[in-house]
Amino acid sequence: MPAQPGAEAPAFSGTGAVPAPGAEASVSGGTGVAYAAGAEAPPSGRAGSVPAPAGEALASGLTDAPPTPGAASGSTGAAPGPGAASVPAGAPPAPGADAPAPAPAPAPTPLHDPDPYSTPPYGEPGPWAPAPPVQHPAATPAHGVAVSAPEAAPAAPAAPAAPVVQDAPVADPWARYDPWAAPASAPLQQADPVEEDVKRRRGRRRRALITGALVIALVSGVAGGVVGVQLERNGGIGAVELPQAGVEAPDRDPDSVAGIAAQALPSVVTLHVSGSGSAGTGTGFVLDDRGHILTNDHVVEPAGEDGEITVTFHSGDTAEATVVGRDSGYDLAVVRVKGVRGLSPLPLGNSDNVQVGDPVVAIGAPFDLAGTVTSGIISARERPITAGGEKGDGSDVSYVDALQTDAPINPGNSGGPLLDGKGRVIGINSAIRSADGGLDPEGGQSGSIGLGFAIPINQGKRVAEELIESGKATHPVIGITLDMQYSGDGARVAAEGGDGGPAVSTGGPGAKAGIRSGDVITKVDGRPVHSGEELIVKTRAHRPGDKLELTLERDGKERTVSLVLGSSDGD
């Protein structure tokens, strides 16, 4: 409702009401109440309030921005209702009509030059920095107690619309941003970030896909490797079952190594000998069903006169044995077990029928490993060897015209049988060539180098029969003494005998054949001899009473003589 002439308009508190005409309006920064012109403004609850000069409404607030025409700016931010206008002091309102709009006040000079980029706080919010949030708490009186918002005052009478001022200063841009205000009709947008965000999202998505693919490939590779190893090792995922041949008949061809071994093993025994402070192990084989067992003399030698000999059969049964007879010159001995039944003698072959290259099988107890079977061939025949000689007086030296074989023979094989392709005994394993070049019955406890020697069974059979019958074996002799130091080719007759007597025994086979001291014997039955040992070996390969032809040299001339071998007790 328009004011009457000459009346004073009432003053309104805290709502931004228009002051009465002719009075100076002063707005308190604390409550926004206008006071009449000419009246002294009471002190405000907020420090820094200043009375407004005549004709102006001073706004006390948080910023130094100029007030917007037609409204008083206060701490509460309340503005007059629509259509309200400021009335200059002293201008009476037109009677009966609304008061005319006052002329606009001159715009204040800005403190800074205009910002060409329109960046806050002097221009519009720019694309590089969004407007910072403004802390805008609720109005609080000076004593710190929050007050409730006053009820809205009745709307003022409609006033004529104020003319549009083209050069009016732009309102405070920060007033547009209020975190507690109602959301604007349209949300604020950043300037052109869409393309970059899309690229980033696409890059992240691509990296995520690549990483996932790599992880899947890695896991798949590991799993495939594990499955592949399982399949390669076990042939499947389930239980392991390897292919295997079925049960076959145990019978083998009698002429095969397995067939020969199956027939001979029950007749081969292992001997454990102890006595006189020494012990040894060897092999033997059954000669007859009376319990006679043939072996080497050096196997039973440790027993002496009162030692013990234990015989272990292939079945595992054991029995005590006694010496029947032994002969060191042939390196053969016979022992006998009593109280044992069911013995299976090995069949004897004929060593004169053996040829080089014939297959052979050796059975024994090398290094006390009973029942060991090896095989090979006959690599040589009539190989003259001497073994023993540890005593130094020659009483333990054996002279053997041996069968040579490459069947592995080791210490412990001594006395075991050497079988032909039909399982018949053709030799008695006695010696091996050791790695250091020596030759003795035990080979110096070295291993086999493929040179084994066996006493021919023809010689062994004769000696075994004599030992069983009389406990002694006879040796064929020529009746001469040899010069064992002679280094030339052949065997030379010594100047005198070992006892100081003549080198050619009076009335012996050699004397009857006309052999003299100094003669050199070069052949026996047409076969060359190269030393005295070879002549002894060739002689002992025969029986007493056998006839021999000897080729000898005397005074540079060669001649041939015949003689009949004599006999002597074993020595």
Side-chain angles (χ1 to χ4, degrees):
M1 175 178 178
Q4 298 297 326
E8 294 182 359
F12 296 92
S13 171
T15 61
V18 180
E24 294 181 356
S26 175
V27 181
S28 171
T31 61
V33 180
Y35 296 92
E40 185 177 353
S44 170
R46 178 188 178 103
S49 298
V50 182
E56 291 184 359
L58 295 181
S60 168
L62 299 177
T63 63
D64 294 332
T68 303
S73 170
S75 61
T76 61
S86 299
V87 180
D98 294 335
T109 302
L111 299 178
H112 301 277
D113 294 336
D115 185 4
Y117 300 102
S118 299
T119 57
Y122 308 110
E124 296 295 331
W128 299 281
V134 177
Q135 301 296 328
H136 206 49
T140 306
H143 50 75
V145 179
V147 296
S148 59
E151 296 182 359
V164 178
V165 180
Q166 299 296 331
D167 297 331
V170 179
D172 183 6
W174 292 103
R176 297 182 181 181
Y177 182 80
D178 187 352
W180 290 277
S185 59
L188 298 178
Q189 297 181 358
Q190 294 181 345
D192 301 332
V194 176
E195 182 176 357
E196 184 177 358
D197 290 347
V198 170
K199 291 181 178 179
R200 289 180 180 177
R201 285 196 298 272
R202 289 179 179 174
R204 286 194 298 268
R205 186 180 299 109
R206 187 179 298 108
R207 288 192 295 271
L209 291 175
I210 294 175
T211 302
L214 291 176
V215 171
I216 293 174
L218 179 60
V219 173
S220 301
V222 172
V226 172
V227 173
V229 170
Q230 183 72 14
L231 292 175
E232 182 180 359
R233 289 182 177 177
N234 302 328
I237 304 300
V240 178
E241 186 175 354
L242 301 177
Q244 185 180 17
V247 179
E248 298 178 352
D251 297 337
R252 293 291 183 270
D253 185 348
D255 295 339
S256 66
V257 174
I260 295 172
Q263 296 175 10
L265 279 171
S267 301
V268 179
V269 300
T270 301
L271 285 78
H272 294 88
V273 182
S274 62
S276 302
S278 60
T281 301
T283 308
F285 59 93
V286 177
L287 288 175
D288 54 31
D289 56 3
R290 295 181 295 171
H292 290 107
I293 296 172
L294 182 62
T295 186
N296 284 135
D297 176 68
H298 69 264
V299 171
V300 301
E301 182 181 5
E305 297 296 333
D306 55 357
E308 295 183 356
I309 302 175
T310 303
V311 176
T312 303
F313 295 88
H314 183 64
S315 62
D317 297 332
T318 61
E320 295 297 324
T322 58
V323 177
V324 174
R326 28 183 308 226
D327 188 287
S328 60
Y330 287 109
D331 192 20
L332 292 174
V334 175
V335 299
R336 183 180 182 185
V337 294
K338 295 181 179 180
V340 179
R341 298 180 180 179
L343 295 178
S344 298
L346 274 179
L348 303 181
N350 188 336
S351 54
D352 289 342
N353 298 332
V354 175
Q355 299 297 322
V356 174
D358 285 348
V360 291
V361 175
I363 301 178
F367 302 103
D368 202 15
L369 300 175
T372 299
V373 178
T374 57
S375 64
I377 62 170
I378 295 294
S379 53
R381 294 181 59 216
E382 300 180 357
R383 186 75 74 189
I385 64 169
T386 58
E390 285 81 4
K391 293 182 178 180
D393 57 0
S395 61
D396 61 339
V397 177
S398 59
Y399 299 90
V400 179
D401 196 20
L403 297 174
Q404 179 179 315
T405 178
D406 65 349
I409 296 174
N410 291 283
N413 275 104
S414 294
L418 184 69
L419 309 172
D420 63 9
K422 296 183 178 180
R424 300 172 298 189
V425 180
I426 57 174
I428 301 100
N429 302 317
S430 299
I432 62 174
R433 175 71 65 176
S434 62
D436 61 359
L439 182 68
D440 57 28
E442 292 297 329
Q445 293 297 317
S446 61
S448 173
I449 60 173
L451 292 175
F453 303 95
I455 301 171
I457 192 58
N458 289 4
Q459 181 176 331
K461 176 179 178 295
R462 180 185 69 82
V463 173
E465 291 172 345
E466 291 181 353
L467 292 176
I468 293 172
E469 290 180 358
S470 63
K472 293 183 179 180
T474 60
H475 298 167
V477 296
I478 300 176
I480 60 176
T481 301
L482 298 177
D483 181 7
M484 304 303 291
Q485 303 300 320
Y486 178 68
S487 59
D489 190 31
R492 187 173 67 177
V493 180
E496 59 181 17
D499 56 359
V504 179
S505 300
T506 303
K512 294 179 180 180
I515 299 175
R516 301 178 183 179
S517 177
D519 289 347
V520 178
I521 302 173
T522 59
K523 295 180 182 179
V524 175
D525 290 338
R527 295 179 182 178
V529 294
H530 305 286
S531 65
E533 287 84 357
E534 286 193 30
L535 179 60
I536 297 173
V537 168
K538 296 295 184 181
T539 301
R540 292 194 176 182
H542 294 80
R543 294 172 177 267
D546 289 347
K547 185 178 180 178
L548 295 181
E549 286 189 358
L550 303 178
T551 302
L552 52 87
E553 293 180 358
R554 181 189 300 167
D555 300 329
K557 295 181 180 179
E558 185 178 271
R559 64 182 60 191
T560 302
V561 298
S562 297
L563 56 85
V564 176
L565 292 174
S567 176
S568 68
D569 294 339
D571 53 34

